[in-house]
Amino acid sequence: MVDLLGRLRLAPRRSEHVACADGEEVLAAGELRFRLDAGQPTVAEVSNLSTGYCPDVTCWAAVARALAPLGLHPPTGFTVAMDFRRCLACGEVTLVKERWFVCTFCDADLPSDWNVSLAREVDVE
Ligand SMILES: [Zn+2]
């Protein structure tokens, strides 16, 4: 994850981003995979896959800024980009797959714009 100071913080893949961030807000969260190219570490894959933060794809800018000074030659964007949306009908967060903007939990249509940061203020009836 990228903390609020723009620092890249890494943890093992099976750990939680929220724990890595000590429960604080973040600029970005997701998964990174490195590889060695001619003995130099490079970024092979990078995503915004974080079920703890469900970040928008726009957090790429923070990721690029955090990686650049490390000499890791990041790609030009997420190699795998996730679309998370909060359902306005039931309040649950859904990972949108294949551009199908329908809530996994209640079948309501999901907003086209990222809205996960919205607090759960919907009435569930
Ligand atoms: Zn729903």
Side-chain angles (χ1 to χ4, degrees), residues 42-115:
T42 61
V43 175
E45 293 179 10
V46 56
S47 78
N48 62 328
L49 178 53
S50 170
T51 56
Y53 286 104
C54 305
D56 190 19
V57 293
T58 57
C59 73
W60 169 253
V63 176
R65 279 195 305 272
L67 290 173
L70 303 176
L72 290 171
H73 309 293
T76 56
F78 287 118
T79 56
V80 179
M82 304 291 165
D83 284 314
F84 296 98
R85 296 293 184 275
R86 183 176 301 285
C87 176
L88 298 177
C90 74
E92 295 292 338
V93 174
T94 291
L95 173 59
V96 176
K97 296 174 183 168
E98 298 175 343
R99 307 296 296 162
W100 182 252
F101 287 81
V102 174
C103 177
T104 303
F105 301 94
C106 76
D107 289 334
D109 289 338
L110 296 171
S112 58
D113 294 329
W114 183 81
N115 65 345

Side-chain angles (χ1 to χ4, degrees), residues 2-19:
V2 179
D3 69 17
L4 293 178
L5 296 176
R7 298 175 302 193
L8 183 67
R9 292 166 71 173
L10 302 175
R13 187 164 188 226
R14 293 184 183 174
S15 63
E16 291 293 328
H17 293 120
V18 177

